[in-house]
Amino acid sequence: MQSYTIGQAARLLGVSPDTARRWADAGRVATHRDETGRRLIDGRDLAAFSVELARQSGDDEEEETYTSARNAFPGIVTAIKLGDVAAQVEIQAGPHRLVSLLTREAVEELGLEVGMRATARVKSTSVHIDTP
């Protein structure tokens, strides 16, 4: 399972590293330390937290406007539903939840798993998934 540093998690959540660190310190998202002492967040924990954070931000009175350069939404995979031929992949990119329908084969070739980084690229009504 992939883990993320506080800085990587902050970028995926669209917040400053200080904010991500405060959330970790407050116990809002679980961390563990690697062999060098860096604090890491498990990918599945970060995925769940990003979904919860997006739900909370939807309750705010004021909505912020978000844009993406070249229609790219870097985020974290929060759900994968595999069928015999097709698949559904959800990505939480900051406050944005994107859902892509693609082949099961594509999901397997990309090695997509809940908790990993991925970028949703949007063109018209199609969403394509890239991995780093």
Side-chain angles (χ1 to χ4, degrees), residues 71 98-102 121-128:
N71 299 321
L98 297 118
V99 179
S100 178
L101 300 176
L102 56 162
R121 296 196 186 274
V122 180
K123 178 168 170 97
S124 186
T125 58
S126 297
V127 177
H128 303 269

Side-chain angles (χ1 to χ4, degrees), residues 5 9 31 40 43-45 49 52 56-57 61 63 75 81 86 88 92 95 97 105 112 114 118 120-121 124 126 129:
T5 65
T31 63
L40 300 174
R44 288 189 183 273
D45 291 339
F49 181 69
E52 180 59 31
Q56 291 172 1
S57 70
E61 294 278 331
E63 286 192 32
K81 296 177 186 168
Q88 177 179 313
Q92 192 70 44
R97 176 181 165 262
E105 182 180 11
L112 293 176
V114 171
R121 296 196 186 274
S124 186
S126 297
I129 306 296

Side-chain angles (χ1 to χ4, degrees), residues 36-73:
T36 65
R38 291 185 312 166
R39 286 183 8 175
L40 300 174
I41 301 171
D42 179 75
R44 288 189 183 273
D45 291 339
L46 185 59
F49 181 69
S50 70
V51 170
E52 180 59 31
L53 194 61
R55 282 192 189 116
Q56 291 172 1
S57 70
D59 297 338
D60 294 343
E61 294 278 331
E62 292 182 35
E63 286 192 32
E64 295 182 39
T65 301
Y66 294 92
T67 63
S68 66
R70 296 184 178 166
N71 299 321
F73 294 85

